[in-house]
Amino acid sequence: MNAVDATEHYGTSAHDPAPSLLTVIIDTNPHAWALLEQNEKNQLPFSTALANILVFLNAHLACNYANEVAVVASHTHKAAWLYPSPNSPTTSADSDGDVTMSNNNHMSTGGGSGKPSQVNKYRPFRIVEEQVTSNLRHLVDSTNRDDLDSGASTMMAGALTLALSHINRRTIAWAEAHGGGDASSFSRSGDPDTSTTSMIARRSTTTTATNDGAAEGLQSRILIISVSSATGSAHQYIPIMNGIFACQRLHIPIDVCKLSGDAVFLQQASDATKGIYMSLSEPRGLLQYLMMAFLPDQRSRKHLILPTRVDVDFRAACFCHRRVVDIGFVCSICLSIFCEPPENGDCLTCGTHLDTGDYGAKPAVVVRKKKKKKIRPNGVSATPTPTPTPGP
């Protein structure tokens, strides 16, 4: 009877692999995009890059009907949500979820774009495109001249915090809907400090088996598309590193797609979280890089050879001037880094008095004693004298 009423069809969906949540952080710094657009060799307008990113998001949604996406803009003065945006209406649907139809058999305008939506477009694709474009347009229109004075700066730390908050909220909601218990049994089951007894207890309480892959929980990852330089994010060193450590603890890989320049902290983020870091030599092929390197999720990457980066820059930024340094002074209490000894020898973070010893003093010069020549009894010096070269 179960085969007749299609009960088995709905029962097998509980054993499907867990969906994947992709959170994309787009660097929307106008200064960096203007420099990239003016580059004749590697020219990439922001409109073209945004179209490629939307195609990449649609491809991620097409891999699994349960996949989710989120888009965050890292702007010059703030980090803003591009998708999902609960405040702006995306469609003309009523309370029942039905879409109102106009007289010309097209759905009404959505997202404030001024153009009728396409009826034949897959609804999740259309919602993502309308929300991202409309919210990005609103973000650019609300940016004034004072917000652009920061130059190469971009709020990457705030965008990373928003991404982690959304991932945590969606992980808890997915765990409650599919496991009926704590989300930690899904996202932290692979932690090294978890005992064997608690792991067995957690696996026994889940509704699906580990072999089916559902006990892994919601597969979340972060993709950063950056165009700004590394000097602009030096003042955000501490919050960025805190976000990196949180992703490392929660097993959330951070993928980085660098369109211009190179970023020190993003290299460390990708290396610490076992993500993918790629600095594109040809930014015009952005879509190809996104589809071939960044589309596979964690489950698929176990069977692929991923692009790796060996020469990772592990330099840090000092806490006093926010400069990236090779050699610095480290506080023995709070491990704060300084490019030069603090004033009065007091740590700027914890206030501990640091004993720098004789740092800065000139080295003592010791006069070398001259060796005395040994005189033989016959009055000849013990040191042999060089003989002239014999002539021909």
Side-chain angles (χ1 to χ4, degrees):
M1 190 63 184
N2 292 336
V4 176
D5 58 2
T7 304
E8 294 181 353
H9 171 72
Y10 294 100
T12 56
S13 61
H15 301 284
D16 292 341
S20 176
L21 170 59
L22 173 62
T23 305
V24 180
I25 299 178
I26 304 177
D27 185 1
T28 57
N29 188 357
H31 292 278
W33 282 105
L35 294 176
L36 185 61
E37 188 173 356
Q38 295 174 1
N39 191 353
E40 297 180 358
K41 183 178 180 181
N42 298 323
Q43 185 179 9
L44 179 64
F46 181 71
S47 58
T48 305
L50 181 61
N52 295 338
I53 294 173
L54 291 176
V55 173
F56 170 70
L57 295 177
N58 294 342
H60 173 75
L61 294 176
C63 292
N64 189 348
Y65 71 95
N67 282 356
E68 302 178 10
V69 296
V71 185
V72 184
S74 176
H75 209 53
T76 54
H77 63 289
K78 67 177 181 178
W81 280 106
L82 299 182
Y83 178 83
S85 60
N87 297 328
S88 61
T90 58
T91 58
S92 56
D94 53 13
S95 58
D96 297 333
D98 297 333
V99 179
T100 57
M101 305 297 293
S102 57
N103 295 331
N104 55 357
N105 295 329
H106 285 278
M107 284 184 292
S108 59
T109 304
S113 59
K115 298 180 181 179
S117 301
Q118 300 179 6
V119 257
N120 295 329
K121 183 177 291 186
Y122 185 45
R123 186 172 183 270
F125 296 172
R126 178 175 55 84
I127 292 177
V128 172
E129 292 178 3
E130 290 178 355
Q131 286 198 15
V132 170
T133 53
S134 61
N135 291 331
L136 185 58
R137 185 181 298 107
H138 176 72
L139 177 63
V140 174
D141 294 341
S142 61
T143 304
N144 51 32
R145 185 178 298 271
D146 297 335
D147 299 332
L148 300 178
D149 293 339
S150 56
S153 176
T154 177
M155 295 301 172
M156 187 59 63
L160 190 59
T161 304
L162 289 179
L164 283 172
S165 302
H166 180 74
I167 289 174
N168 183 59
R169 182 169 59 251
R170 292 303 306 156
T171 302
I172 295 176
W174 191 90
E176 292 177 352
H178 295 79
D182 186 11
S184 60
S185 61
F186 293 89
S187 60
R188 300 181 182 178
S189 59
D191 293 344
D193 56 346
T194 306
S195 61
T196 306
T197 306
S198 59
M199 291 176 63
I200 296 176
R202 288 177 178 178
R203 291 176 182 176
S204 61
T205 56
T206 56
T207 57
T208 55
T210 308
N211 296 331
D212 295 331
E216 297 177 357
L218 184 65
Q219 300 291 319
S220 303
R221 55 194 176 101
I222 298 176
L223 172 61
I224 299 177
I225 301 177
S226 174
V227 292
S228 301
S229 60
T231 57
S233 58
H235 64 284
Q236 309 176 48
Y237 173 71
I238 299 178
I240 287 179
M241 294 307 297
N242 290 337
I244 294 174
F245 295 149
C247 293
Q248 185 181 21
R249 182 69 175 86
L250 298 174
H251 306 285
I252 300 175
I254 299 178
D255 301 333
V256 179
C257 181
K258 202 72 176 68
L259 299 179
S260 176
D262 220 349
V264 178
F265 310 132
L266 296 183
Q267 292 184 24
Q268 300 177 15
S270 178
D271 180 75
T273 59
K274 299 180 180 180
I276 300 175
Y277 183 92
M278 294 190 67
S279 181
L280 307 188
S281 58
E282 292 288 340
R284 291 174 295 181
L286 175 62
L287 181 59
Q288 182 177 357
Y289 285 104
L290 293 177
M291 299 295 289
M292 302 302 295
F294 299 102
L295 183 60
D297 55 0
Q298 296 95 306
R299 192 179 298 104
S300 302
R301 293 180 182 182
K302 297 178 181 179
H303 310 282
L304 300 176
I305 300 177
L306 304 177
T308 57
R309 187 181 180 93
V310 181
D311 53 337
V312 180
D313 194 348
F314 290 103
R315 291 183 298 171
C318 65
F319 286 32
C320 48
H321 301 91
R322 301 294 188 242
R323 293 182 298 191
V324 180
V325 295
D326 296 323
I327 301 176
F329 301 86
V330 181
C331 176
S332 59
I333 304 301
C334 63
L335 302 180
S336 299
I337 304 172
F338 305 100
C339 59
E340 57 187 21
E343 186 178 359
N344 299 327
D346 296 334
C347 179
L348 302 179
T349 304
C350 61
T352 305
H353 181 73
L354 305 177
D355 187 8
T356 56
D358 296 334
Y359 173 76
K362 295 182 179 180
V365 180
V366 180
V367 180
R368 185 178 181 181
K369 296 181 179 180
K370 296 182 179 180
K371 295 182 178 181
K372 295 181 179 181
K373 297 182 179 180
K374 296 182 180 180
I375 306 299
R376 292 182 178 180
N378 56 0
V380 181
S381 174
T383 303
T385 57
T387 58
T389 305

